[in-house]
Amino acid sequence: RGDEIGSASRRGHGDVTYTQSLGEKIDSQVRRYIVLKSALSALVALSVGLTLGALDVDLAFLFALFSFFANFVPNVGAVVATLLPLPVICLDPTMSWAGGSLAILVPLVIHMLVGNVIEPKVFGMGLALHPVVVLFTILLWALMWGISGMIVSVPLTAVLRIVLKEVDHPYSIVIVDILEE
């Protein structure tokens, strides 16, 4: 039974090799996405927290924590996380105009830089997807399923790439080539 996918097989001089099953490949890819997304969300939260803390914004830690979770929703989460501290900033009598402007603009730039530049590159390398494909799939799945589609867009596309790689058909090879680079 050494020819089954996912089983150990003996080759040559007692060498044992292991072939991952399709389910294991998908599980590995989804886990990699979650780890990468969590690390990037922590980077965003830390950056936002340090920025708001340096500018003496009340509840900076809470806004940083919200930024961590909001980063899991591409684009929309960034806008909400950036605008959430706005009432606190505007109603703080000790906040200067320059400080208030920086408290909004710097987190916005952080979110946009991570969401539109760093994440596509990191996911592209970590999940074997082209960075443009990552951005395109977020748009595509958002059109189909809205915000929930945006959340699951990258892992679904990574799973689609793995499944198409296993299919022996000329069209699947072409699609995988497009997805990978």
Side-chain angles (χ1 to χ4, degrees):
R1 302 203 57 141
D3 59 329
E4 288 181 7
I5 296 177
S7 65
S9 62
R10 295 206 175 271
R11 290 188 195 165
H13 305 293
D15 294 336
V16 176
T17 60
Y18 185 77
T19 306
Q20 277 188 318
S21 71
L22 181 61
E24 289 170 330
K25 289 178 185 176
I26 291 171
D27 183 56
S28 172
Q29 197 80 329
V30 171
R31 285 177 191 270
R32 187 176 301 128
Y33 169 78
I34 291 170
V35 167
L36 291 173
K37 188 66 173 179
S38 297
L40 289 170
S41 294
L43 173 70
V44 167
L46 181 65
S47 301
V48 168
L50 289 174
T51 300
L52 295 179
L55 294 170
D56 273 342
V57 174
D58 293 335
L59 306 172
F61 174 76
L62 185 64
F63 293 131
L65 184 64
F66 185 79
S67 289
F68 174 82
F69 292 108
N71 195 53
F72 282 88
V73 182
N75 301 331
V76 176
V79 171
V80 172
T82 301
L83 295 179
L84 189 64
L86 191 61
V88 173
I89 293 167
C90 290
L91 296 175
D92 185 357
T94 62
M95 182 68 64
S96 67
W97 279 100
S101 298
L102 285 175
I104 295 298
L105 292 176
V106 173
L108 179 66
V109 169
I110 291 169
H111 280 286
M112 293 301 134
L113 180 68
V114 170
N116 295 321
V117 177
I118 296 172
E119 278 186 1
K121 287 186 178 188
V122 169
F123 290 149
M125 291 183 324
L127 303 177
L129 294 171
H130 193 278
V132 174
V133 170
V134 172
L135 292 172
F136 178 73
T137 57
I138 291 172
L139 176 66
L140 178 70
W141 289 104
L143 290 173
M144 290 195 298
W145 291 345
I147 291 177
S148 40
M150 294 173 86
I151 295 170
V152 299
S153 62
V154 177
L156 274 178
T157 305
V159 168
L160 178 67
R161 184 191 64 79
I162 291 170
V163 171
L164 287 174
K165 224 173 178 176
E166 297 292 322
V167 175
D168 187 27
H169 192 276
Y171 290 146
S172 67
I173 294 168
V174 170
I175 294 172
V176 168
D177 286 342
I178 291 170
L179 291 175
E180 288 181 340
E181 288 183 83

